Amino acid sequence: MGKNIVQKIIDAHIVTGTPKAGEEVGIHIDQTLTQDATGTMAYLQFEAMGFDRIKTEVSVSYVDHNTIQEGFENADDHKYLESVAAKFGIHFSRPGNGICHQVHLERFGAPGKTLLGSDSHTPTGGGIGMIAIGAGGLDVAVAMGGGPFYCTYPRVIKVELSGTLQPWVAAKDIILKVLSVLSTKGNVGCVVEYGGRGVAGLSVPERATITNMGAELGVTTSVFPSDATTKAFLAAQGREEVFTEITADSDAEYDRVIQINLSELEPMTACPHSPDNIKTVREIGPIKVDQVMVGSCTNSSLRDIMTVAAALKGRQVAPGVSFGVACGSRQVFEMASRNGALADIIAAGTRILELACGFCIGNSQAPKTDAVSIRTNNRNFYGRSGTLSAQVYLVSPETAVAAALSGTLTDPRDFFGAKNGPSVSLPDTFLINDNMIVKPQVSDTLAVKISRGPNIGDPPSNSACPESLDGVVTIKVGDKITTDHIMPAGNRLKYRSNIPAYAEYVFEREDPQFAKRAAGFRDNGLHNLIIAGESYGQGSSREHAAICPMFLGVKMVVAKSMERIHRANLINFGIVPALFENPSDYDLLETDARVSIASYRQLIEKREPLLLSAGEKNIPLRVELTDRELEMVLAGGLINATKNKK
Ligand code: MIC
Ligand code: SF4
């Protein structure tokens, strides 16, 4: 039997385990990326594990999340990252060089390789035919040290594309359509592979928009074939030598096939407050908009910026609309300035934003109270924009620009006319200027001194799994709780390298007293438990959503279901991820309930069923761990487990 693309790449990288869907395998990682908000912890852990140089083919440290530098903290982090990169042989992409995923696609991505990134949108690299996976910083640190990355050998969902996109319908509409079919939950352990005749008409940046937002499906990653289009993109980036063709065998099998006819698609939007709350733009009708933001790692390529410029040319942004544009990389920015596109954008009345995550992570451009904000990024979780009462709709750049010009959410075909779309073609050669990427030195790195400002703390340690569990339900939350709910970003981002300070904001929006209560229980010798509904831990890879609860004494999360990256992060930091044997038992537990499990450690070790006692009730729980995960949970996390082996 032939292989699909996912099998071809993963099988070539397996170092442990059997390539069978659902089994845990360890894969060799060729490339890693980190960004500053997760990178400091990743490198502190890399240091703590005692490595002296990276063992990957290439590792890149990007600075794109915390670039506001209000106070010294971000700048301290940047300096730490720059010095660590110099010491351990890592490329350093300086602040101002652009968003990690966009820059990585342009300058480092290579078909057939594996990429592990401490950011959930690392699957952007799937657009160029890589198996690119998001993970917690600790997993990335291990991979930089040459260790395998453990994941479930995936089930593969094929999305078969036919037809051609009509004018004003974009790649973003394809992924919004996929989200409407697969939703954000229930896809753990799957990878999406794109194929079919419709693929050829999509450029690499368009494919990358699709694989980027594939993260919102909760799948391990998404991937496109590597074909003539990929080759042309790499040649235009001056990197043709890394091209290799990768396509699925004609008799390859898939676990599920979804058909999408591109000719039938229309402009769509993800309505507040979830990326899978999909409607067509026409269905919603012309609601008045206050803010429009174009950018983020989903839609900031040269293709997107040129499309926006072409649509804006000679027109004016509607009065009362705040319209901002952030290019994804310096390559995009410099090319758009040299070819005049930027001038058209500026002339229309646009706010030019820094080449960074910015509005997407909610650390700037928070909209006004009750605003309708139209954005091209990938997440519209409640409160993520920085304004709790804002209504955020996710759209393509085409729909965003129609909203900016008309002042209402409008199908771009109705505003510009259905026939003539902006015709933007990618150049034969991109402008190559890597002077903001600091290449690692090859020798004398032992002498490099690591810079540690006062914002750089030590990663906190955990104690081993307790003999018995005796504690409190410190919080009960509902379905689809994202890591943004657990560990808010936005204006709290500057504490990413300082766990005691950041821990004060755990579940800030759900229960502002959570941190105080949890620390109080912890200091009185009680264990904290989190009770959750479906799909707990959606969204970002931030391991702080595990480290900070660990710091506050959380020992166990009991949920109806849990997302992949967050579950792995919990285990890495010694928090037990348990599931309700009977999901309806969720209703039996309330916040503040006293709970216990006698012989807890022993039962986990022997893989025996756990019964959570809460007053008169006994609730059966399921803890499914591989041998490797069990060892970590018993030791109180990966770092302890590694130390125990020495
Ligand atoms: C995000 O989009 O939520 C982030 C911020 O990029 C996160 C990483 C982080 O929390 O630092 C992600 O997607 O993993
Ligand atoms: Fe940055 Fe937003 Fe992309 Fe996350 S999703 S990497 S915050 S641009």
Side-chain angles (χ1 to χ4, degrees):
M1 191 186 61
K3 286 186 178 181
N4 55 46
I5 297 170
V6 178
Q7 291 163 340
K8 283 187 182 178
I9 304 179
I10 295 189
D11 292 2
H13 288 84
I14 287 195
V15 286
T16 60
T18 319
K20 185 165 168 252
E23 301 274 317
E24 186 180 79
V25 289
I27 59 173
H28 175 75
I29 295 299
D30 302 317
Q31 303 189 348
T32 64
L33 71 77
T34 56
Q35 39 87 343
D36 50 304
T38 53
T40 50
M41 269 307 136
Y43 295 113
L44 285 165
Q45 286 153 352
F46 184 81
E47 285 190 82
M49 286 187 276
F51 297 117
D52 55 9
R53 200 164 172 94
I54 53 152
K55 297 212 170 64
T56 46
E57 290 173 15
V58 63
S59 288
V60 192
S61 170
Y62 293 91
V63 178
D64 54 2
H65 279 61
N66 291 318
T67 53
I68 297 290
Q69 294 173 228
E70 164 248 2
F72 64 91
E73 291 90 345
N74 298 167
D76 276 7
D77 288 357
H78 301 171
K79 208 67 210 165
Y80 168 75
L81 293 168
E82 186 171 359
S83 61
V84 160
K87 189 160 189 82
F88 297 121
I90 297 157
H91 286 73
F92 181 67
S93 172
R94 296 173 61 195
N97 194 43
I99 304 174
C100 55
H101 307 303
Q102 176 66 28
V103 178
H104 206 86
L105 192 75
E106 293 167 357
R107 307 305 306 139
F108 297 98
K113 299 284 183 189
T114 50
L115 165 68
L116 193 71
S118 63
D119 191 282
S120 64
H121 291 102
T122 304
T124 311
I128 206 166
M130 316 181 80
I131 288 292
I133 303 177
L138 187 48
D139 285 334
V140 176
V142 169
M144 284 190 290
F149 171 67
Y150 293 93
C151 60
T152 307
Y153 194 83
R155 282 179 290 129
V156 184
I157 303 173
K158 181 172 191 191
V159 176
E160 175 100 19
L161 304 176
S162 59
T164 343
L165 288 174
Q166 297 304 297
W168 301 106
V169 184
K172 183 66 159 277
D173 299 310
I174 304 178
I175 184 61
L176 292 176
K177 176 72 187 175
V178 176
L179 273 153
S180 76
V181 177
L182 287 175
S183 88
T184 57
K185 43 177 211 178
N187 306 312
V188 175
C190 299
V191 171
V192 175
E193 178 176 315
Y194 289 85
R197 286 170 180 273
V199 165
L202 298 171
S203 64
V204 168
E206 289 175 295
R207 297 174 186 186
T209 292
I210 296 168
T211 56
N212 169 285
M213 202 170 171
E216 274 45 77
L217 299 165
V219 293
T220 308
T221 189
S222 307
V223 67
F224 271 83
S226 170
D227 56 11
T229 307
T230 321
K231 188 174 182 182
F233 177 80
L234 282 166
Q237 290 286 353
R239 302 197 296 116
E240 196 176 343
E241 73 283 359
V242 303
F243 173 74
T244 165
E245 185 178 312
I246 309 172
T247 51
D249 291 334
S250 55
D251 55 346
E253 290 190 353
Y254 295 90
D255 294 272
R256 181 174 172 189
V257 179
I258 295 168
Q259 309 276 354
I260 297 183
N261 182 348
L262 302 182
S263 312
E264 288 170 3
L265 281 188
E266 41 180 322
M268 319 251 213
T269 176
C271 305
H273 296 287
S274 178
D276 64 358
N277 190 6
I278 309 288
K279 291 203 168 80
T280 64
V281 174
R282 279 183 181 156
E283 248 177 288
I284 297 176
I287 48 173
K288 190 180 165 315
V289 312
D290 302 285
Q291 184 193 53
V292 180
M293 293 282 129
V294 171
S296 90
C297 57
T298 321
N299 278 124
S300 58
S301 66
L302 187 65
R303 180 252 164 230
D304 291 334
I305 301 301
M306 296 296 293
T307 303
V308 168
L312 286 176
K313 195 175 172 72
R315 297 187 167 103
Q316 290 298 308
V317 170
V321 175
S322 175
F323 179 54
V325 171
C327 297
S329 69
R330 237 168 36 108
Q331 182 182 76
V332 173
F333 196 41
E334 196 175 340
M335 288 182 78
S337 359
R338 290 188 188 278
N339 70 18
L342 191 62
D344 293 331
I345 295 176
I346 295 171
T350 307
R351 298 173 71 171
I352 303 298
L353 310 175
E354 190 177 9
L355 322 183
C357 299
F359 70 84
C360 175
I361 185 64
N363 68 7
S364 54
Q365 301 293 331
K368 76 169 185 63
T369 305
D370 298 334
V372 169
S373 176
I374 308 296
R375 298 175 166 217
T376 64
N377 59 305
N378 45 40
R379 290 185 173 146
N380 58 349
F381 303 146
Y382 174 65
R384 181 173 162 109
S385 68
T387 303
L388 290 182
S389 65
Q391 304 289 313
V392 177
Y393 292 81
L394 307 176
V395 299
S396 67
E398 285 82 341
T399 302
V401 79
L405 291 169
S406 67
T408 54
L409 180 61
T410 309
D411 185 316
R413 296 169 303 177
D414 298 336
F415 184 78
F416 296 103
K419 292 248 154 48
N420 304 318
S423 84
V424 169
S425 50
L426 288 180
D428 292 337
T429 47
F430 286 92
L431 188 152
I432 317 281
N433 176 0
D434 288 334
N435 67 359
M436 284 185 89
I437 299 176
V438 184
K439 290 208 180 64
Q441 287 168 238
V442 282
S443 58
D444 293 338
T445 54
L446 282 180
V448 175
K449 199 169 166 323
I450 294 181
S451 163
R452 289 176 216 277
N455 198 41
I456 307 294
D458 287 328
S461 57
N462 196 6
S463 49
C465 176
E467 294 302 329
S468 57
L469 189 87
D470 179 16
V472 184
V473 172
T474 320
I475 192 166
K476 178 178 175 179
V477 290
D479 291 343
K480 289 190 180 181
I481 289 295
T482 70
T483 49
D484 276 71
H485 292 91
I486 307 169
M487 247 4 294
N491 55 1
R492 309 295 185 215
L493 267 177
K494 66 178 180 184
Y495 300 118
R496 281 289 176 92
S497 312
N498 185 341
I499 299 301
Y502 199 28
E504 288 180 24
Y505 303 105
V506 176
F507 284 121
E508 187 188 11
R509 291 182 206 132
E510 315 315 296
D511 171 6
Q513 297 305 316
F514 177 87
K516 217 182 236 145
R517 292 192 307 112
F521 293 138
R522 176 198 62 195
D523 296 344
N524 284 314
L526 288 171
H527 303 131
N528 291 294
L529 263 78
I530 296 168
I531 303 299
E534 298 284 2
S535 221
Y536 183 72
Q538 280 191 1
S540 121
S541 67
R542 64 191 70 149
E543 60 190 352
H544 299 79
I547 306 179
C548 294
M550 173 200 93
F551 177 78
L552 294 174
V554 172
K555 292 290 172 199
M556 192 186 223
V557 175
V558 186
K560 290 185 190 172
S561 64
M562 219 174 269
E563 293 301 305
R564 172 188 68 89
I565 306 181
H566 187 58
R567 178 183 175 278
N569 286 337
L570 290 174
I571 294 171
N572 277 348
F573 292 95
I575 298 178
V576 174
L579 298 179
F580 286 104
E581 193 64 70
N582 311 309
S584 58
D585 286 348
Y586 168 85
D587 299 333
L588 301 178
L589 290 165
E590 289 307 330
T591 302
D592 285 336
R594 279 298 305 263
V595 285
S596 63
I597 302 179
S599 308
Y600 175 65
R601 184 185 170 96
Q602 206 184 354
L603 294 173
I604 292 185
E605 196 164 5
K606 294 195 170 150
R607 296 200 151 87
E608 286 181 12
L610 298 185
L611 270 189
L612 181 74
S613 307
E616 305 284 278
K617 299 159 230 159
N618 280 318
I619 299 168
L621 306 180
R622 195 153 36 97
V623 178
E624 285 175 355
L625 301 169
T626 63
D627 292 349
R628 188 185 59 84
E629 292 171 339
L630 180 65
E631 197 184 329
M632 286 197 271
V633 157
L634 294 175
L638 175 58
I639 299 217
N640 290 356
T642 314
K643 279 188 197 146
N644 291 350
K645 278 193 197 147
K646 281 189 180 161

